[in-house]
């Protein structure tokens, strides 16, 4: 069904496996989530068309049906049932009536829906002339072509449904990363930011916002901090809270909103998000509050990229005591098709009941043939590798240089291997989270790591970790190198390196530098610079290069030592100022920028390198096949140009050469740790 401005399959709960893991695997297979284009399922390559509604008879007092919403991943095998979706909600009552869960009345039927995700109630009213659902009508909603019958959603108790409080931090405005934000739980947990505080008008096109990687990284950093503050824990792998950029509307009764899902700007707007934005606008004391708080019923128009959503809110009380009693709005829905959805067997990790595809039936015969020929089953698996989707784990946040390089390579590597490759960003703990995950993964070649100098040399040299960069991994192949660059925020009052040193010696700790985390290349380079220049500068560690670069651009920190690959786009756009190359020679991409040695600071040469690794004990034939395919990708002129245009030099090699590099780099950086007296704190 198309429901509101979303689309996805609707299931009765009984149609799906009872086991939660198998249920999620079925949903992933239905949508085709493993592929960014979702060509092997009914998804549409967007979070808006990767939604699922699961409906059943309700046991809740006074409720007709239960509705469990599931957000399925796009290009990643994930299912998140923490949020609600008001758009998909608009299709629940028509579906429940057609499936016989609710008896229709003549004229119109109101179905009380219990949303399992947020444990809240919503009355959904649909037109049912002659006791049949009528989808045709004259109501239009922005973001959807044509007209349809109106469906009224009346949210009864969505306030604090997820966190237990409308303002879960206990405040209507919080300060996060130097920004005023409102953390609100109204139908959907949101973190609302003012557009003006981000240097935006608030009316930018979604594509323009998505293309601003520094902005997206900063928003994601704020979102994660807000998640912790709201009691949601680590929200790195969750889609809640959703970020919102708010700005004034066209009149006192409207507000302009850019709603994120959460890592892309919504093409229009989520219904639950509109409820939250309208609530924040109607109540005083938030970053989105209107000029005058009005008690009683009022309509708030949420303006979005494709039009507006009118939300009727009822406010009771004044000032800090003001509260929302209910909120209602109108959506439409359309049934697109009804029938059988066929799921491929590969989506399930264990055997399932029902008919098996031919390749499943061939498996025992293949093993028998292998035994007759004296060949082991593992050897047969190696010969047919890969047999399923390959996951490349990236130890940094999406939007950074490592992530961009991994995705560039994956686009060509997947077709060569004949399988889908998906990127799994597992940022945190300076790469340790990702490294531990891959080190413990099955050694079958279907989980790989895009490692780099920090994960396999610098961080292990700095502190004792729960993985060994040598014994816990099989080297696959080197990707290339990128020099480290010393950059400053664009408006930093510093002419050059010599001027910076003079200012720091006159006033120690005047400036701060950002790093991608302790034990990363930006951290080492900055500490070596301080040591060799004889200056003092405070360091601020971040969870990856992307948020560190974002705050340097924003001026929260003034300096950083990112890779040239990470920094170059921001230098070209004028958001960062290049001061020096922390390497042995100048870069042809920035020929006017001197090396630190030329600028008078010797001994700071940090070349970042990138490589692929597999879990230890991955069979040698698989490693050889991966190395061959990787080197073939890195010989592609298009890939070489794309990587070099960003400031990295492609360099390939054998698994043995990569293994030797890791050992030598580990020894080198252990020496630096001792000499510079670095610690993980």
């Amino acid at each position: 069904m198309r429901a509101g401005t979303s689309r996805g399959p609707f299931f009765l709960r009984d149609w799906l496996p009872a086991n939660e893991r198998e249920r999620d695997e079925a949903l992933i297979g239905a949508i085709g989530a493993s592929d960014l284009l979702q060509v092997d399922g009914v998804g549409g390559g967007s979070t808006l068309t990767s939604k699922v509604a699961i409906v059943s008879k309700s046991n809740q007092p006074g409720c007709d049906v239960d509705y469990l919403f599931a957000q399925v991943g796009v290009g990643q095998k994930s299912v998140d049932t923490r949020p609600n979706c008001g758009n998909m909600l608009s299709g629940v009552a028509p579906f429940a009536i057609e499936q016989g869960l609710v008896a229709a009345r003549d004229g119109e039927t109101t179905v009380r829906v219990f949303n399992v995700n947020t444990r809240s109630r919503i009355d959904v009213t649909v037109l049912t002339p002659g006791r049949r659902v009528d989808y045709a009508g004259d109501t239009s909603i922005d973001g959807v072509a044509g007209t349809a019958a109106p469906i009224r959603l009346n949210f009864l108790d969505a306030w604090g449904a997820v966190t237990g409080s409308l303002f879960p931090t206990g405040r209507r405005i919080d300060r996060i990363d130097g920004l005023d934000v409102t953390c609100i739980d109204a139908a959907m947990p949101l973190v609302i930011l003012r557009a003006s505080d981000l240097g935006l008008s608030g009316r930018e096109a979604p594509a323009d916002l998505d293309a601003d990687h520094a902005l997206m990284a900063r928003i994601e950093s704020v979102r994660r901090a807000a998640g912790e503050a709201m009691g949601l824990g680590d929200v790195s792998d969750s889609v809640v809270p959703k970020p919102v950029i708010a700005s004034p509307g066209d009149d006192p009764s409207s507000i302009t909103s850019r709603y994120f899902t959460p890592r892309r700007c919504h093409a229009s707007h989520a219904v639950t998000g509109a409820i939250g934005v309208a609530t924040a606008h109607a109540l005083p004391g938030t970053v989105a509050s209107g000029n005058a708080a009005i008690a009683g019923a009022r309509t708030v128009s949420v303006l979005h990229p494709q039009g507006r959503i009118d939300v009727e809110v009822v406010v009771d009380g004044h000032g800090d005591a003001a509260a929302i009693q209910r909120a209602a709005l109108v959506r439409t829905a359309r049934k697109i098709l009804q029938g059988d959805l066929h799921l491929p067997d590969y989506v399930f990790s264990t055997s399932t009941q029902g008919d098996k595809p031919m390749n499943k039936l061939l498996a025992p015969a293949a093993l028998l043939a292998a035994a007759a020929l004296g060949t082991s089953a593992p050897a047969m698996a190696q010969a047919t590798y890969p047999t399923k989707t390959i996951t490349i784990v990236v130890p940094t946040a999406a939007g950074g240089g490592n992530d961009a390089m991994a995705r560039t390579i994956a686009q060509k590597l997947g077709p060569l291997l004949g399988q889908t490759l998906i990127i799994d960003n597992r940022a945190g703990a300076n790469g340790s989270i990702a490294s531990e995950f891959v080190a413990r993964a099955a050694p079958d070649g279907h989980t790989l790591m895009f490692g780099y100098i920090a994960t396999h040399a610098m961080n292990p040299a700095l502190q004792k970790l729960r993985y060994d960069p040598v014994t816990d991994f099989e080297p696959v192949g080197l990707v290339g190198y990128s020099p480290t660059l010393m950059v400053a925020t664009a408006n930093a009052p510093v002419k050059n390196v010599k001027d910076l040193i003079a200012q720091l010696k006159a006033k120690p700790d005047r400036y701060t530098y950002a790093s991608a985390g302790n034990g990363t290349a930006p951290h080492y380079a900055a500490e070596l610079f301080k040591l060799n220049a004889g200056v003092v500068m405070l360091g601020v560690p971040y969870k990856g290069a992307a948020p560190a670069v974002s705050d340097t651009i924003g001026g929260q920190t003034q300096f950083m030592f990112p890779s040239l690959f990470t920094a170059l786009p921001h230098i070209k756009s004028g958001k960062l100022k290049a001061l020096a190359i922390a390497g042995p020679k100048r870069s042809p991409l920035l020929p006017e920028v001197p090396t630190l040695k030329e600028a008078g600071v010797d001994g700071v040469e940090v070349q970042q390198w990138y490589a692929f690794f597999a879990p230890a004990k991955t069979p040698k034939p698989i490693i050889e096949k991966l190395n061959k395919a990787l080197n073939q990708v890195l010989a592609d002129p298009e890939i070489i140009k794309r990587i070099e245009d960003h400031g990295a030099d492609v360099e390939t090699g054998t698994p043995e050469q990569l293994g030797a590099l890791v050992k030598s780099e580990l020894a080198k950086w252990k020496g630096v740790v001792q000499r510079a007296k670095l610690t993980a704190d």
Side-chain angles (χ1 to χ4, degrees):
M1 298 181 74
R2 189 273 300 163
T5 55
S6 297
R7 192 191 75 217
F10 282 64
F11 297 99
L12 288 180
R13 187 181 61 189
D14 293 343
W15 296 347
L16 294 166
N19 178 276
E20 189 172 302
R21 175 182 54 78
E22 292 180 356
R23 178 203 70 191
D24 288 353
E25 289 174 342
L27 300 184
I28 288 167
I31 293 294
S34 301
D35 174 13
L36 282 169
L37 296 178
Q38 299 178 337
V39 295
D40 204 29
V42 298
S46 164
T47 54
L48 307 184
T49 54
S50 305
K51 299 174 182 287
V52 173
I54 302 171
V55 184
S56 59
K57 268 283 190 183
S58 182
N59 293 321
Q60 298 293 324
C63 295
D64 298 307
V65 296
D66 288 347
Y67 156 53
L68 176 66
F69 167 70
Q71 178 68 64
V72 183
V74 180
Q76 60 180 20
K77 296 183 288 185
S78 65
V79 175
D80 194 349
T81 56
R82 294 176 69 173
N84 180 19
C85 177
N87 276 303
M88 291 293 280
L89 170 65
S90 61
V92 169
F95 175 75
I97 292 170
E98 290 201 358
Q99 293 301 321
L101 299 184
V102 177
R105 296 175 177 270
D106 189 12
E108 66 177 35
T109 303
T110 296
V111 178
R112 179 156 293 182
V113 178
F114 179 76
N115 177 235
V116 179
N117 311 74
T118 60
R119 305 198 65 77
S120 59
R121 299 166 304 151
I122 309 98
D123 280 347
V124 182
T125 302
V126 298
L127 299 184
T128 51
R131 301 182 187 274
R132 296 176 63 88
V133 175
D134 188 0
Y135 293 99
D138 299 325
T139 299
S140 63
I141 60 173
D142 292 324
V144 176
T147 61
I151 297 175
R152 185 176 178 82
L153 309 180
N154 190 2
F155 289 79
L156 304 176
D157 48 10
W159 329 119
V162 175
T163 64
S165 175
L166 177 61
F167 297 105
T169 68
R171 296 171 294 276
R172 298 197 177 193
I173 294 181
D174 291 279
R175 189 81 174 169
I176 298 178
D177 287 355
L179 297 169
D180 285 343
V181 305
T182 290
C183 299
I184 189 169
D185 180 5
M188 171 73 69
L190 305 176
V191 53
I192 306 176
L193 305 89
R194 295 189 189 99
S196 57
D197 291 347
L198 295 167
L200 303 171
S201 69
R203 296 178 181 252
E204 288 80 3
D208 292 336
L209 295 173
D210 291 344
D212 190 337
H213 298 303
L215 172 69
M216 297 299 290
R218 190 175 190 194
I219 291 174
E220 176 62 10
S221 177
V222 171
R223 187 186 80 86
R224 293 186 183 189
E228 292 279 359
M230 295 169 78
L232 297 170
D234 183 359
V235 297
S236 303
D237 297 324
S238 175
V239 298
V240 292
K242 299 289 182 67
V244 171
I245 296 176
S247 58
D250 294 337
D251 54 58
S253 295
S254 65
I255 181 170
T256 301
S257 175
R258 293 296 181 264
Y259 180 87
F260 294 79
T261 63
R263 295 174 181 86
R264 293 185 67 183
C265 185
H266 201 300
S268 54
H269 208 288
V271 166
T272 47
I275 296 288
V277 172
T279 298
H281 183 71
L283 294 177
T286 77
V287 299
S289 295
N291 293 330
I294 303 172
R298 61 181 294 199
T299 297
V300 175
S301 296
V302 178
L303 311 183
H304 58 78
Q306 294 189 16
R308 65 199 295 146
I309 298 176
D310 292 330
V311 182
E312 181 186 276
V313 296
V314 177
V315 180
D316 182 35
H318 300 274
D320 291 342
I324 299 291
Q325 293 301 304
R326 63 178 178 84
L329 49 80
V330 171
R331 298 276 87 186
T332 65
R334 182 175 85 84
K335 184 168 70 172
I336 297 173
L337 60 87
Q338 180 175 335
D340 295 329
L341 179 65
H342 298 267
L343 298 181
D345 205 51
Y346 71 76
V347 303
F348 295 100
S349 56
T350 57
S351 294
T352 56
Q353 298 299 314
D355 294 337
K356 305 296 183 188
M358 185 176 292
N359 63 344
K360 182 72 175 180
L361 295 172
L362 284 177
L367 292 177
L368 286 172
L373 294 170
T375 307
S376 67
M380 285 291 293
Q382 295 165 30
T384 57
Y385 169 84
T387 59
K388 59 183 179 181
T389 297
I390 298 172
T391 299
I392 298 176
V393 179
V394 177
T396 55
N402 295 37
D403 177 68
M405 197 179 298
R407 290 179 188 275
T408 296
I409 294 168
Q411 288 176 3
K412 295 281 186 176
L413 189 59
L416 268 181
L417 294 172
Q419 277 291 346
T420 299
L421 267 67
I422 63 173
I423 302 297
D424 183 359
N425 295 93
R426 291 180 178 258
N430 311 329
S432 297
I433 292 174
S435 301
E436 289 173 24
F437 177 80
V438 176
R440 307 293 178 260
D444 59 6
H446 292 98
T447 302
L448 306 176
M449 181 176 182
F450 187 79
Y452 70 123
I453 190 173
T455 57
H456 282 71
M458 288 180 162
N459 200 25
L462 183 66
Q463 58 186 319
K464 185 173 178 59
L465 302 169
R466 291 187 294 182
Y467 72 92
D468 188 298
V470 176
T471 61
D472 284 341
F473 295 90
E474 296 292 343
V476 173
L478 188 65
V479 170
Y481 292 87
S482 180
T484 298
L485 190 65
M486 185 180 190
V487 300
T489 186
N491 58 359
V494 173
K495 298 176 184 177
N496 50 39
V497 174
K498 185 177 180 180
D499 181 30
L500 172 63
I501 293 172
Q503 290 190 42
L504 288 172
K505 287 188 173 180
K507 188 178 180 181
D509 287 347
R510 177 175 182 178
Y511 298 116
T512 58
Y513 76 84
S515 77
N518 293 335
T520 62
H523 173 227
Y524 272 88
E527 291 298 319
L528 283 173
F529 170 76
K530 288 165 52 180
L531 180 71
N532 289 283
V535 296
V536 177
M537 188 164 47
L538 294 176
V540 181
Y542 289 81
K543 293 182 178 180
V549 168
S550 177
D551 267 15
T552 304
I553 290 172
Q556 284 77 21
T557 53
Q558 293 77 48
F559 297 91
M560 189 181 171
F561 287 79
S563 69
L564 180 58
F565 188 90
T566 297
L568 191 60
H570 306 297
I571 293 169
K572 289 181 176 179
S573 68
K575 294 178 180 178
L576 289 175
K577 178 166 56 178
L579 296 182
I581 300 286
K585 61 182 180 179
R586 294 194 181 199
S587 168
L589 294 173
L590 298 171
E592 73 286 355
V593 179
T595 66
L596 273 172
K597 185 175 182 179
E598 291 173 330
V601 183
D602 202 358
V604 188
E605 293 187 3
V606 182
Q607 284 275 90
Q608 300 200 40
W609 51 263
Y610 313 88
F612 278 89
F613 297 88
K617 298 183 180 179
T618 300
K620 188 175 180 180
I622 291 178
I623 296 295
E624 290 174 344
K625 186 171 185 177
L626 285 168
N627 177 262
K628 181 179 179 181
L630 175 63
N631 290 346
Q632 188 173 338
V633 169
L634 294 173
D636 186 318
E638 179 190 348
I639 297 296
I640 293 173
K641 186 177 187 304
R642 287 172 66 181
I643 292 176
E644 289 182 345
D645 283 350
H646 281 80
D649 294 320
V650 172
E651 185 166 332
T652 60
T654 66
E656 292 74 21
Q657 289 170 330
L658 175 57
L661 173 68
V662 170
K663 292 176 182 177
S664 65
E665 286 281 285
L666 195 57
K668 170 186 173 181
W669 293 108
K670 283 181 178 178
V672 171
V673 168
Q674 294 175 354
R675 191 169 77 254
K677 298 180 181 179
L678 300 180
T679 68
D681 299 325

